[in-house]
Amino acid sequence: MKHPRLSLVSLALAAALPAAPAFAQEALETVTVTARKRVETLQDVPVAVTALGAESLERLNVRNLGDLQGNVPSLTLYAARGSNTTITTFIRGVGQADPLWGVDPGVGIYLDDAYIARPQGALLEVFDVQRVEVLRGPQGTLYGKNTIGGAVKYVSKPLGTQFSGQASASFGSFGQFNARGAVGGATTDGELRGRVAFATMNRDGFGTNLTDGTGVSDQDTTAARVSLGWFPKNSPVDVQVSFDDTTDQSGMRGFQRLATNRFVPGDVLMSSRYDIKSGMPNKNRTDSSGHALTANWRLGGDWALKYIYSHRQSATDTGIDFDGLPNKIADVLATYTDDSDSHELQLTSGKGVLGLYRFSGDAGGRVRNNFFNASFGDTNGRVYTTGTAVFGDYEWDLGPALSLSTGLRWTQEEKRARVLNRAFSNDSFTTPIATVSDFDKTRKVNNVSPRLSLGYEMSREVKFYASASRGFKSGGYNIRANVTAVPDSAKPFEDEELDSYELGAKMLLAGGKLELNTALFHNNYKNVQLSVFTSFIQANGQPGFFGDFTNAGRANVNGLELEFIWRPSSSFQLRGNASHIDAKYKEYFDRGVNVASQKWFSNTPKNSAAIDAEYRFPAFGGELRTRLGASYRSKVYPTTDLSEAIAQPGYTLVNAGITWAKDANLSVSLQASNLTDKAYRTDGYNIPALGVLSGFYGPPRQVSLGVNLRF
């Protein structure tokens, strides 16, 4: 697709044809969510939450969680610098971009109620999904762990009593071939049920490693899930087990060097935003898998008891060439491993939940750094985490139109950090010559976080809420500690706390044709955890850089969010969202000086908005759907060093699609993303000591043709 006018022409053609769609409906779809651990409609739940069902995800061409950015207000979500399946997530300015073990995310990622503790492998592919929910703001009284900024909840399709399935395949730009499929069924009596789903995503590189000719920013990902369930008749108990596995063997992420490297005489920049000249092997691999058991016991009335056990594990091997050149300036080999178990017991009713949560995790690895082929050091160690929490949230009716929701969470968490960071004689990393950090420390904390929410139902169509809540994320130790260069780096960083105050409205107007949701929030953010990199000169005279973890004292984050869906007729639908965030540090001490006025939040655009228009009309014995969408984000600093050279100015992305559906079971679609081929940075490196200044860019224009079959 070379001309963005194609979808506009289709829309004009559609407007001239009679509107008599075969299976479109004027009324908006009623979306149910389990954001509060019970089934509610999206409009009834007094929480800022966006829910996209399977049909909406397909229409919007959401292929993985990264495609949610632009479709959800106040959300930043993209693949990290290392690999396609390592996630970076921020909601309302709260998140964590550092994928190193020992650093917790600020936004919880959940797969069918199972918490995914590490970012590696957490950028889930969207397949065989019922819906994705994005909850904004602290959710500690409802969710197990690390939801100070919010939660992203991936809900796979439930086990059904009838045989059903789905298969899809798409071909597109850069040699893309994606295939997804699922099949499920049950025994005649419905007591035993099962479902198997798989996906394979393949694409040539957006760029090339000109040193060896291999592709970079390619994709080679496979994923699978198996779910089994036992639903005995005349019994209040049912049990489900699930298994999932994802393997990502994509190569390096390509990037553009934004300045010549002063350590390379005659260095010349390239115009491509993806080509590199790395001398490192172009090999990456992430294996992420898990299994879970869920048991439900219906106690009578609307009371139920649920037990969830989950085990997650992942292993990542990756090469990171900071300089992108064949020269050995900053070549890094990293290995990450993770193993975690969680247990959760929930007592739920139609009005609330009482939960008991237990988590234990073992995360570690080794990062080997080769600077200038003259300085060799490693980051080596493990972090052991155990946590226990009791949480509850209950809604009280104060009158026919007024309700009060109260919540409380008590958390106890212990982190033990075992760190052994050394310098070595050569790149074999076998003969240590110095120890820069060697410690085994434990930190134990307790926290109590309340929540209070008042809801007012003006009518069945118009509802308001006001809430006050506290979020919490425990501190820890800097695994990159270098006590030789920075003596204080072995000291722990502090816990984060966020007090959030929110006013919201949920409205269903125009006879049910317009859904409008708004939220106004004010957050007091304390001890903001920040990953920062500092250049310094090593004892041998060679330049180096140090990754520290610190706390900014205080910050205020104010914002306004809006979401709407308008369907004036069965032929036309308009969907959109917008957010404004004013995030400012109030206290940020650097060497005893408060530099808050000189600091800004990373990964937090001040303004963002998106709009998506769809028109349907009968054609060729079925229904033709045309879609045109655009999303805007204002200036973003992707890294905490706030480099202007890496900062991404405001930009707009345009997407479009044309789908022909014979009926509800067969469709063919032509999809285009980043239609104008906009160049936009999502991340980067700014390390003056190593002569490194580079930017990682989002995907270029991509066009794909796909077929989807349901049975």
Side-chain angles (χ1 to χ4, degrees), residues 559-711:
L560 174 65
E561 299 165 343
L562 178 145
E563 292 181 280
F564 73 90
I565 304 175
W566 180 45
R567 183 177 289 173
S569 72
S570 57
S571 303
F572 181 72
Q573 176 176 291
L574 197 64
R575 172 196 294 267
N577 71 78
S579 68
H580 171 79
I581 300 177
D582 182 20
K584 293 181 178 178
Y585 287 106
K586 296 298 181 182
E587 186 179 271
Y588 191 134
F589 283 95
D590 182 8
R591 285 163 288 189
V593 179
N594 187 2
V595 294
S597 62
Q598 305 168 32
K599 298 294 182 179
W600 297 270
F601 272 56
S602 64
N603 288 288
T604 306
K606 189 169 186 176
N607 297 299
S608 63
I611 193 165
D612 189 90
E614 181 184 278
Y615 192 86
R616 303 176 171 203
F617 56 93
F620 313 113
E623 182 179 76
L624 197 64
R625 307 165 184 163
T626 59
R627 180 183 66 87
L628 182 65
S631 62
Y632 169 78
R633 289 165 65 82
S634 62
K635 185 176 182 179
V636 175
Y637 291 92
T639 56
T640 54
D641 61 23
L642 307 177
S643 167
E644 290 292 343
I646 298 175
Q648 172 58 47
Y651 66 95
T652 299
L653 297 180
V654 180
N655 303 309
I658 302 175
T659 300
W660 176 77
K662 182 180 183 300
D663 50 35
N665 296 321
L666 176 62
S667 62
V668 180
S669 63
L670 180 66
Q671 300 281 1
S673 59
N674 193 4
L675 200 57
T676 61
D677 199 28
K678 177 66 178 179
Y680 63 100
R681 284 184 291 274
T682 61
D683 215 328
Y685 289 116
N686 177 30
I687 312 173
L690 305 177
V692 170
L693 182 66
S694 57
F696 288 77
Y697 286 79
R701 176 172 52 238
Q702 297 180 83
V703 180
S704 64
L705 179 65
V707 179
N708 189 44
L709 174 66
R710 294 183 178 89
F711 53 87

Side-chain angles (χ1 to χ4, degrees), residues 191-256:
E191 288 196 1
L192 297 178
R193 306 174 193 177
R195 192 169 183 88
V196 178
F198 76 92
T200 176
M201 284 65 65
N202 306 273
R203 187 194 65 238
D204 296 336
F206 295 147
T208 303
N209 182 4
L210 301 179
T211 301
D212 60 14
T214 58
V216 295
S217 291
D218 62 327
Q219 185 170 23
D220 180 4
T221 308
T222 57
R225 287 198 303 271
V226 177
S227 301
L228 302 170
W230 179 49
F231 298 81
K233 289 187 176 300
N234 303 318
S235 172
V237 177
D238 63 73
V239 179
Q240 301 176 61
V241 293
S242 63
F243 307 85
D244 69 273
D245 183 87
T246 299
T247 299
D248 179 21
Q249 300 184 83
S250 310
M252 288 182 177
R253 292 280 308 279
F255 56 87
Q256 185 174 30

Side-chain angles (χ1 to χ4, degrees), residues 104-225:
D104 287 337
V107 175
I109 307 294
Y110 288 83
L111 172 59
D112 292 332
D113 290 325
Y115 173 65
I116 300 177
R118 304 300 308 139
Q120 289 82 14
L123 189 65
L124 302 174
E125 296 293 329
V126 173
F127 67 103
D128 200 42
V129 64
Q130 184 183 52
R131 67 182 180 278
V132 176
E133 301 175 15
V134 180
L135 291 79
R136 303 186 294 279
Q139 307 295 328
T141 63
L142 294 165
Y143 284 82
K145 183 173 167 60
N146 287 343
T147 54
I148 184 173
V152 178
K153 186 177 179 181
Y154 183 113
V155 183
S156 60
K157 284 193 175 177
L159 296 174
T161 58
Q162 303 294 324
F163 176 77
S164 66
Q166 181 176 351
S168 66
S170 63
F171 305 83
S173 311
F174 302 97
Q176 174 195 313
F177 171 66
N178 294 343
R180 295 171 169 85
V183 63
T187 56
T188 305
D189 59 8
E191 288 196 1
L192 297 178
R193 306 174 193 177
R195 192 169 183 88
V196 178
F198 76 92
T200 176
M201 284 65 65
N202 306 273
R203 187 194 65 238
D204 296 336
F206 295 147
T208 303
N209 182 4
L210 301 179
T211 301
D212 60 14
T214 58
V216 295
S217 291
D218 62 327
Q219 185 170 23
D220 180 4
T221 308
T222 57
R225 287 198 303 271

Side-chain angles (χ1 to χ4, degrees), residues 224-461:
R225 287 198 303 271
V226 177
S227 301
L228 302 170
W230 179 49
F231 298 81
K233 289 187 176 300
N234 303 318
S235 172
V237 177
D238 63 73
V239 179
Q240 301 176 61
V241 293
S242 63
F243 307 85
D244 69 273
D245 183 87
T246 299
T247 299
D248 179 21
Q249 300 184 83
S250 310
M252 288 182 177
R253 292 280 308 279
F255 56 87
Q256 185 174 30
R257 294 190 302 117
L258 304 176
T260 57
N261 193 304
R262 69 179 187 274
F263 299 104
V264 181
D267 184 22
V268 177
L269 297 178
M270 296 181 291
S271 59
S272 169
R273 57 186 189 259
Y274 304 105
D275 289 347
I276 57 175
K277 295 181 179 179
S278 175
M280 298 184 68
N282 188 6
K283 294 180 180 179
N284 276 329
R285 184 182 179 100
T286 296
D287 292 291
S288 176
S289 62
H291 56 263
L293 179 147
T294 302
N296 294 289
W297 182 14
R298 293 169 294 282
L299 301 174
D302 58 3
W303 288 91
L305 192 65
K306 176 186 282 191
Y307 168 70
I308 305 164
Y309 164 72
S310 172
H311 173 78
R312 306 291 313 172
Q313 61 186 32
S314 66
T316 297
D317 290 295
T318 184
I320 308 170
D321 191 342
F322 285 81
D323 52 89
L325 295 166
N327 313 63
K328 291 184 179 297
I329 296 174
D331 292 2
V332 176
L333 291 172
T335 301
Y336 308 96
T337 63
D338 174 68
D339 197 291
S340 64
D341 292 277
S342 63
H343 302 264
E344 186 167 353
L345 188 64
Q346 300 173 5
L347 177 64
T348 61
S349 73
K351 290 293 185 179
V353 59
L354 178 64
L356 175 63
Y357 183 80
R358 176 69 176 177
F359 175 86
S360 61
D362 174 0
R366 190 182 188 193
V367 180
R368 289 168 287 174
N369 307 304
N370 182 342
F371 298 147
F372 301 101
N373 212 30
S375 176
F376 313 95
D378 73 352
T379 298
N380 186 23
R382 307 200 71 80
V383 172
Y384 307 92
T385 303
T386 58
T388 302
V390 179
F391 59 90
D393 199 286
Y394 196 83
E395 187 175 57
W396 312 83
D397 291 327
L398 302 182
L402 195 63
S403 63
L404 177 67
S405 179
T406 56
L408 191 67
R409 178 190 183 88
W410 172 80
T411 302
Q412 183 180 85
E413 189 160 291
E414 180 178 289
K415 286 184 179 178
R416 176 192 174 197
R418 179 68 184 97
V419 174
L420 178 60
N421 299 335
R422 296 176 292 180
F424 291 83
S425 60
N426 55 46
D427 61 1
S428 69
F429 293 90
T430 55
T431 306
I433 57 175
T435 298
V436 298
S437 288
D438 183 3
F439 62 81
D440 186 342
K441 295 184 177 182
T442 299
R443 188 174 186 272
K444 189 173 183 178
V445 296
N446 293 275
N447 175 266
V448 176
S449 296
R451 177 181 176 272
L452 191 67
S453 178
L454 189 65
Y456 176 67
E457 186 173 313
M458 178 178 290
S459 67
R460 292 187 61 84
E461 293 78 24

